[in-house]
Amino acid sequence: MNEFIPRRGRGIVSHVSELIGRTPLFELCTTGTGVRLLLKLEQFNPTGSAKVRMAEQMIADAEREGRLRPGGRIVEPTSGNTGLGLALAALERGYRFTAVVDHHASKDKLRAMKALGAELVYVADDGSGTLRSVERRRVAAELVAADREAYWPDQHNHPGNGGGYRELAKELLADAGQIDWLIGAIGTGGSLCGTARELRRLRCPARTIAVEPDGSIIFGAPPGPYRQTGSGSPAGFPVGKNVCPELIDEGVQASDVDAFATARALARHTGLMVGGSAGGAIHVALERIDALPPGSTAVVLVCDAGEKYLDSVYDDEWLRGHGLLAPDVEEQVLQRLTRHTEVGHALQWVS
């Protein structure tokens, strides 16, 4: 009797990591001069974030270089999205994963990491409600020093971070055909600089605009508090090697009010829910779009999903409690989106 052997058909995968990539490119609007604003929706990756790309790359590099032993332990300080990517890599490859976190992180990201089997180690809350990035790195270093089986990828300095976005750049060129402006939030620098590096290697001359929160020190501005997670660097935090000035044509800042209001307006206008830092990048793009050369294409990297921020960015009471609820700004963004969308539809009818 022949034993039945199931065969996978085309499009069927056996590991969640095989679903990484090929995320959609969404045309948000088109101006009267034919400028397209496209959103690269990385929230459609497993774990709902672009960071799963680089997490897989960093762990693959560590295995190839012999830095991770079978059954070993991965330790990383994270605000959540890198942690989710590493949690997925760890469970598929048989490692333990410890995420060093603070109470500033999205509660849903923390819950999701635990659901994927991660151990969460919290740093002490200093009562300010602000990022504890420096303290997270200190605690991670202590954990690694005390465990000979532990490996710290260090996303801010690991070359696999930027290297994990080579495929993203190729996807952009395959789908858009032309990219003149690349805009994205910057934190570790991996997604924006890694994508920009590969675009340049492929002879795409896109200009790169990096967006950090007001209060971040990456581009030398005075430090201050901010609530956008996964982007920027707070006071005292060393800017890592994956922030590459030679790949950034312009660095700008976006306030929490503008970032969150734009994310909320986008949800009401399109049904897409994006993270707060992506809202900041889209806000900058919308401010620039009318001044871009006719016929050009701008792409915003949307690095994570808004559903992770239902208790913050999309919660009126949370915003009101932090002085960040701004219906007037939301309305301004909505009006701009509506105007450009109507122009885009008119152009399609004419063509």
Side-chain angles (χ1 to χ4, degrees):
M1 181 175 180
N2 292 331
E3 182 180 356
F4 173 70
I5 302 176
R7 290 181 292 180
R8 286 187 288 158
R10 184 176 182 181
I12 299 176
V13 301
S14 59
H15 294 85
V16 169
S17 58
E18 294 178 77
L19 300 172
I20 296 171
R22 297 304 311 160
T23 54
L25 199 55
F26 179 77
E27 185 169 333
L28 179 59
C29 57
T30 303
T31 71
T33 61
V35 176
R36 294 187 302 169
L37 177 54
L38 309 178
L39 308 181
K40 180 62 168 170
L41 301 180
E42 286 291 282
Q43 66 227 64
F44 288 98
N45 278 307
T47 75
S49 166
K51 294 295 187 76
V52 71
R53 294 182 187 257
M54 64 86 148
E56 286 286 326
Q57 186 66 54
M58 291 193 301
I59 298 310
D61 289 351
E63 290 175 336
R64 186 179 65 255
E65 296 164 2
R67 297 186 180 187
L68 257 177
R69 302 175 183 176
R73 180 188 185 191
I74 303 166
V75 177
E76 182 72 27
T78 174
S79 61
N81 281 328
T82 298
L84 283 166
L86 289 171
L88 175 61
L91 71 87
E92 285 193 345
R93 296 166 183 260
Y95 303 115
R96 294 166 290 144
F97 173 53
T98 299
V100 183
V101 301
D102 60 32
H103 294 276
H104 184 271
S106 158
K107 291 183 177 62
D108 283 329
K109 292 180 187 177
L110 300 174
R111 295 186 187 110
M113 281 191 284
K114 289 188 69 175
L116 295 183
E119 174 195 21
L120 303 187
V121 173
Y122 286 85
V123 301
D125 191 345
D126 66 356
S128 68
T130 57
L131 285 164
R132 300 283 284 154
S133 304
V134 176
E135 180 66 5
R136 289 201 314 249
R137 289 184 67 83
R138 186 191 67 78
V139 171
E142 287 185 350
L143 291 173
V144 172
D147 184 351
R148 59 185 297 179
E149 297 296 321
Y151 169 67
W152 177 6
D154 189 7
Q155 59 180 315
H156 288 270
N157 296 292
H158 197 297
N161 183 344
Y165 296 99
R166 286 189 288 265
E167 289 303 314
L168 192 158
K170 294 173 184 176
E171 291 169 22
L172 288 179
L173 289 176
D175 292 339
Q178 168 190 334
I179 303 170
D180 302 291
W181 300 84
L182 180 69
I183 305 167
I186 189 162
T188 68
S191 60
L192 186 64
C193 294
T195 303
R197 186 185 302 279
E198 183 65 7
L199 287 176
R200 294 187 185 188
R201 190 187 72 81
L202 296 171
R203 302 186 184 280
C204 172
R207 291 181 60 81
T208 305
I209 299 177
V211 184
E212 65 173 342
D214 278 350
S216 168
I217 52 87
I218 291 177
F219 299 118
Y226 58 89
R227 296 279 174 176
Q228 296 170 61
T229 62
S231 65
S233 289
F237 190 84
V239 178
K241 296 178 182 178
N242 285 310
V243 175
C244 306
E246 71 276 11
L247 297 171
I248 299 170
D249 295 293
E250 186 178 358
V252 299
Q253 293 194 318
S255 70
D256 287 345
V257 166
D258 287 341
F260 298 163
T262 301
R264 289 161 62 92
L266 182 71
R268 289 167 56 193
H269 183 71
T270 65
L272 286 171
M273 298 180 67
V274 305
S277 60
I282 294 169
H283 182 83
V284 170
L286 288 171
E287 284 191 324
R288 303 291 184 90
I289 190 171
D290 287 323
L292 297 183
S296 57
T297 296
V299 174
V300 176
L301 299 180
V302 175
C303 286
D304 76 339
E307 286 82 356
K308 299 172 183 177
Y309 308 97
L310 293 176
D311 59 355
S312 55
V313 175
Y314 296 94
D315 183 85
D316 288 5
E317 293 305 313
W318 185 89
L319 290 172
R320 187 176 291 112
H322 292 91
L324 298 173
L325 186 64
D328 56 331
V329 180
E330 290 183 41
E331 187 58 34
Q332 291 169 14
V333 176
L334 270 173
Q335 290 177 4
R336 181 173 288 175
L337 285 170
T338 300
R339 174 167 57 87
H340 286 314
T341 302
E342 289 173 348
V343 169
H345 289 164
L347 289 174
Q348 288 176 6
W349 278 108
V350 170
S351 62

